[in-house]
Amino acid sequence: MSGADDGVPSWHQRVATSRKEISVALHRLTTITIGVPDVVTTAAYYEEFGLAPAGDARFSTVDGGEQLRLVPSPRRRLIELGIGVDDPDDLDRVAANLARLDIAVERAPAALTAVDPGTGVRVVVRAAERLRATAPPPSSVNGPGKANRPTRRADAVLREAPVRPRKLGHVVLGSIDLAASERFFIEGIGFKVSDTVAGLGSFLRCSTDHHNLLVQAAPVPFLHHTSWQVDDVDEIGRGAHALLARDPGRHVWGLGRHHIGSNFFWYLRDPAGNFTEYYADLDCIVDDQLWTPAVWDGPKSLYTWGPPVPPSFLAPDDLAELMIGAHA
Ligand SMILES: [Fe+2]
């Protein structure tokens, strides 16, 4: 955490920013398109990960509908990020905000497209239905002084169905111009700032999730990870266990709990090198006025507990290769 020389804990510091958050009714991530060198092999991984194949290398989640498309690309990268708004009037506001930043906008009746200069990602904002999720049955957890599950085994050990992610939760992108990417997503598209890591990146939301996007400074634009919501920590464990039983080399980092966003996590690697995260129990920000964004640094910017952070999580093994590819 950043040092607080006035004795006030730094996690209570408000983000010092003059950045203007523009009020636009963004409500969720819709769908992403990832470019990979080998679509067939990568598609098999996402099916094993628990996404439902929808034909033509497209995949659906339980609550979010179609949320992933894989297309051929010489190097792995996020090609398109979709964001949902309530109605076409919201698109006019986004278009006006982007115009103020001198960002070129392609406009269709129900969508607009613009490219973030820092990550190179094409962002498509379109009118989309809000996501509706049904809560899972409450789990009965025993503990000191509470036998909430008298004389029966835990539900979690009786689960046999494969893990099925509920929705795409967030995307983490490396940006070669962090200030430009923050301007694009916050002032242009209309994301809100939930927390920042000093000089390194911003956790941004376009819904009540703590974050739907993290843009972080990087030597090359690249996709760090996509993150997929599951019901609870047992589903994270079951999902990772099943993937690692087939190939232990897929393990990246987990099980642990992040400090920023509070979620449990386990990261695994797809065949193209993109990290995929199962997550559960992320902070929800339902009242913007009651949330205080903070500036973080040090270990808490990464996690609150878990195995040591592997160096390849911070700088993926193929970073040099991606840099060469980006310049080719
Ligand atoms: Fe994440």
Side-chain angles (χ1 to χ4, degrees):
M1 285 161 291
S2 53
D5 45 22
D6 57 2
V8 177
S10 58
W11 57 92
H12 288 157
Q13 288 173 344
R14 281 207 73 89
V15 173
T17 177
S18 56
R19 198 179 297 294
K20 217 165 130 197
E21 289 181 5
I22 312 287
S23 186
V24 175
L26 309 178
H27 59 75
R28 68 175 177 116
L29 297 183
T30 52
T31 184
I32 52 173
T33 302
I34 303 178
V36 294
D38 181 343
V39 170
V40 173
T41 310
T42 310
Y45 172 88
Y46 283 96
E47 190 171 348
E48 260 190 79
F49 188 78
L51 304 186
D56 194 24
R58 295 166 189 264
F59 295 88
S60 301
T61 57
V62 173
D63 297 325
E66 191 180 303
Q67 296 211 276
L68 170 65
R69 184 182 177 205
L70 300 173
V71 297
S73 166
R75 64 185 166 92
R76 67 179 186 90
R77 65 193 185 100
L78 184 67
I79 292 175
E80 187 175 298
L81 173 67
I83 294 155
V85 293
D86 283 322
D87 81 33
D89 286 352
D90 294 314
L91 299 176
D92 296 335
R93 284 188 279 277
V94 177
N97 295 340
L98 288 166
R100 269 194 286 278
L101 300 177
D102 285 329
I103 303 274
V105 174
E106 217 177 278
R107 187 67 204 270
L112 73 77
T113 304
V115 175
D116 166 37
T119 61
V121 169
R122 185 168 74 226
V123 175
V124 180
V125 186
R126 50 171 80 83
E129 275 187 30
R130 288 197 173 230
L131 191 146
R132 281 186 192 83
T134 313
S139 60
S140 308
V141 177
N142 290 337
K146 57 170 190 179
N148 288 339
R149 194 181 63 247
T151 330
R152 42 186 190 91
R153 300 182 202 279
D155 311 329
V157 303
L158 301 175
R159 296 177 193 168
E160 285 183 351
V163 170
R164 298 281 179 227
R166 291 295 206 101
K167 67 171 185 181
L168 169 66
H170 61 266
V171 168
V172 175
L173 297 172
S175 168
I176 51 169
D177 187 341
L178 182 60
S181 289
E182 288 176 334
R183 237 182 350 262
F184 176 86
F185 283 108
I186 300 166
E187 296 177 28
I189 303 293
F191 276 75
K192 292 170 180 159
V193 179
S194 296
D195 279 308
T196 56
V197 178
L200 286 180
S202 294
F203 289 77
L204 307 177
R205 66 185 186 278
C206 63
S207 73
T208 55
D209 295 337
H210 175 276
H211 55 280
N212 303 107
L213 175 67
L214 164 60
V215 278
Q216 52 186 19
V220 62
F222 78 104
L223 172 59
H224 185 274
H225 70 265
T226 57
S227 187
W228 305 82
Q229 184 189 46
V230 293
D231 284 353
D232 56 25
V233 68
D234 280 297
E235 291 301 270
I236 295 179
R238 291 196 327 114
H241 179 80
L243 283 168
L244 297 178
R246 291 281 295 274
D247 179 0
R250 292 164 164 173
H251 175 73
V252 177
W253 187 33
L255 171 72
R257 189 157 196 155
H258 283 302
H259 201 87
I260 304 180
S262 306
N263 55 298
F264 294 105
F265 65 81
W266 200 322
Y267 294 88
L268 302 124
R269 189 185 292 101
D270 81 9
N274 305 296
F275 301 156
T276 57
E277 177 187 16
Y278 288 119
Y279 81 91
D281 197 19
L282 183 77
D283 292 334
C284 284
I285 302 176
V286 295
D287 185 337
D288 295 341
Q289 303 304 316
L290 298 180
W291 180 261
T292 306
V295 181
W296 301 88
D297 63 16
K300 280 202 165 57
S301 64
L302 281 164
Y303 68 146
T304 192
W305 60 259
V309 189
S312 63
F313 180 80
L314 303 175
D317 295 338
D318 62 352
L319 210 53
E321 201 182 308
L322 291 174
M323 288 173 74
I324 293 163
H327 289 110

